[in-house]
Amino acid sequence: MTDLAKPASEAPPEPHGTDAPRKGSFWTDDATEPVRRNLGLVGVLLAIWVVGAITVPRIFLSGEGLWNNELIVLQQSAAIGVIAVGMTFVIIGGGIDLSVGALVALTSVWCTTQATQAFGPAGMVFTAILVGAIAGLVNGFLIAYGRVVAFIATLAMLVAARGLAQLISGKRTQRVNIENVGITDIAENRILGIPILVWMLLVVAAVGWVLLNRTTFGRRTFAVGGNPEAARLAGINLRRHTVALYVLSGICCGIGAVMVVAQATAGAPDHGDLYELDAIAAAIIGGTALAGGRGSIVGAILGVLVFKGITNLFIVNNLEQEYQLIVKGAIIVGAVLLQQFRIGSLPQLRKSAT
Amino acid sequence: MSNLSRRGILFGGTAVGAGVLLSACTSNDTGEDDKQAESQTKVGGNNAEPGKKVTIGFSAPAADHGWIAAITNNAKAQAGKYTDVTFNAVAAGKDVPEQRAALETLIQQKPDVIVLLPHDGAQMTATGRKAMEAGIPVINLDREFSEPLAYRTLIKGDNYGMGVAAGTLIGQKLKGNPNAVIAEIAGIDELPLTQDRSKGFKDALATFGLKVSNRVAAKFTVQSGQEVTTNLLQAAPKIDALWNHDDDQGVGVLAAIKQANRSEFYMVGGAGSLDAMEIIKRDDSPLKATVTYSPTMASSAISLARLVAQGKGLEDLVELQVPKLVVLQSETITKENVDKYMPLGFRS
């Protein structure tokens, strides 16, 4: 561990490494690693296309067919992609948010009650984002000020938010009223030939990328997750920053819920089932370290696309779903193994072992 | 620190204020539920004449979707129709152990008869038997116990028959076209009821020389319905007919069909929700029919339970006692007869 200072100085994009004694930070010296990982994920996407071209040439070998198919994959990735952006922030900041699926359910229900729908589409979107933000605030306060472990606090929120969603909806499906067609249009209409859902994903991902990589807030997020003690000594208000991260995740859930409501034309307490696992898996295979301090928005989005691309590939091939679950499991394990044993770092691994 | 706590108070105050504002947004009351359950009850004939006062114990899983919610509402409304019935519902909670515990308490209270929709028929069999041995007749609703000794009367829907009804309808439309593309959107694949429905569908189609070419399974939820249907429509560029097992998930299925701008096929639903019936009546989407699996069976179960407890038979039958087994017919609702079934529909 003697050469800690040197690699840190070579890694300007991740400044938290400067005084990080954590073992994991030792590997962050490899500045090109995120790029290589993302290229790997793009490679997986290309492999999906190749398999698609061989098995379903009708779709994958016609320009229009491929375009439409990929737009469908993108639309299906949109909601979970937005949520994965929030999740990436939380995980980089050293936390975890298990409540995202339940928050999608809660916000979808809250924004589709008759009382909310009376305020029109704008009111519904506003309510969804506000409810998501407040739930995130509760998560953040419990974790930062109540000193509850993130895993437990958000697990409690997972249970409670779904219960509240069931209570509000009376366990029914709440259709979007006909006069609020503005909401369902989100899933049906296109701007410049690209579905609105995809635009929303692009905008959220772009804002997330800038926030993470080009602002003080982003640099602090890396610092808080990479080495909390050093971050605190550097004058960062750890608690406030933690709260902000969970609020951010909650807002992403609110936006995601609007997208889900648009697609399903309804809010329901069983929306967002197991989204927490999808979002965490996407963040992890996108190169976000579960221990915090490292991660990438682009990687998380690519992770979502890989998952949805595989689902799509199996269904257009008319294959049973059980196989795709096994393939997805293998991809998660493969990505994490890759994270632990980076080819470029092998010589250093040997050196540090001696 | 004082600075921080002031900010904390400000934050907290904002949160509480927003909470109060938002809580006004949770109102959902359309007053529809009571009206709906009310219309799904039936009292008439000599059987309805007040007899011995009886207590009916009732237990069904906590509602997680429209169909189960309708079951509980219907049972309650039907019991309310009788002046000689005391209705005692116990919460069955979210799983088998909770329902078992609730039932044991109920047995202690010695109602005259118990109506039970188990979480899982096989796992609740022992409890059913225990009640029977304690001298309380059990009306087993829909999910069948694994042994007949555990119930006095079984009243259930016909999952296999539902598949047959859908398959027959589609078969009649497409017969003579062996290359027809028929798609199926099932519910949760692990459940025996889904497997029964799919088998009935397959068998019925086979009699017309047809088969299912694309099959996907959703999870009875709107969102899963939307997602699998989007992919299904992508996999099959042209479909002749589509059967969706469940009208609850059908909300999502129809959303996906609309989003994909497809309408070339003949679609059949399942269960018979009010939403589906309204769409069939409007006749402006591919959904042209639905095959019933009606939660009105809960109302009928209450009527049967009352007769069992009073020792009466069904008046149109010769027998002096209620029959042991009642299996509902899965009926086919189309535009022609939808008005007749509308009062039996349930909100998903």
Side-chain angles (χ1 to χ4, degrees), chain A residues 81-282:
Chain A
V82 166
I83 292 159
V85 168
M87 182 67 83
T88 304
F89 270 93
V90 170
I91 297 181
I92 291 175
I96 189 100
D97 190 349
L98 298 181
S99 66
V100 290
L103 291 190
V104 167
L106 176 62
T107 47
S108 82
V109 163
W110 210 313
C111 78
T112 52
T113 57
Q114 292 303 326
T116 314
Q117 290 208 34
F119 292 102
M124 292 168 68
V125 173
F126 177 76
T127 306
I129 292 174
L130 189 61
V131 170
I134 290 176
L137 196 68
V138 173
N139 273 338
F141 263 92
L142 283 175
I143 293 160
Y145 295 94
R147 296 182 186 278
V148 183
V149 179
F151 190 93
I152 304 297
T154 57
L155 186 66
M157 180 60 84
L158 177 159
V159 180
R162 245 192 231 286
L164 186 54
Q166 291 178 353
L167 189 70
I168 293 174
S169 65
K171 293 147 186 164
R172 300 296 179 82
T173 303
Q174 298 177 172
R175 302 290 295 268
V176 175
N177 294 344
I178 206 86
E179 64 270 17
N180 285 327
V181 70
I183 292 287
T184 47
D185 276 351
I186 293 174
E188 283 175 36
N189 290 1
R190 297 180 172 201
I191 296 173
L192 302 176
I194 298 194
I196 298 175
L197 283 176
V198 180
W199 282 116
M200 288 172 77
L201 173 64
L202 288 176
V203 168
V204 170
V207 169
W209 188 87
V210 170
L211 191 61
L212 186 63
N213 297 304
R214 292 288 180 271
T215 66
T216 323
F217 182 85
R219 277 194 292 280
R220 285 181 175 173
T221 304
F222 280 114
V224 166
N227 188 334
E229 186 57 22
R232 195 182 63 79
L233 291 175
I236 299 173
N237 186 334
L238 283 187
R239 290 171 163 182
R240 206 169 68 197
H241 198 86
T242 304
V243 172
L245 289 177
Y246 285 93
V247 171
L248 193 66
S249 176
I251 290 173
C252 286
C253 290
I255 299 172
V258 171
M259 297 159 97
V260 169
V261 166
Q263 285 180 299
T265 66
D270 47 22
H271 275 352
D273 187 31
L274 297 183
Y275 265 28
E276 54 279 3
L277 297 187
D278 286 353
I280 294 171

Side-chain angles (χ1 to χ4, degrees), chain B residues 208-219:
Chain B
F208 295 94
L210 298 166
K211 62 176 175 29
V212 176
S213 28
N214 294 69
R215 184 180 186 282
V216 290
K219 292 178 197 154

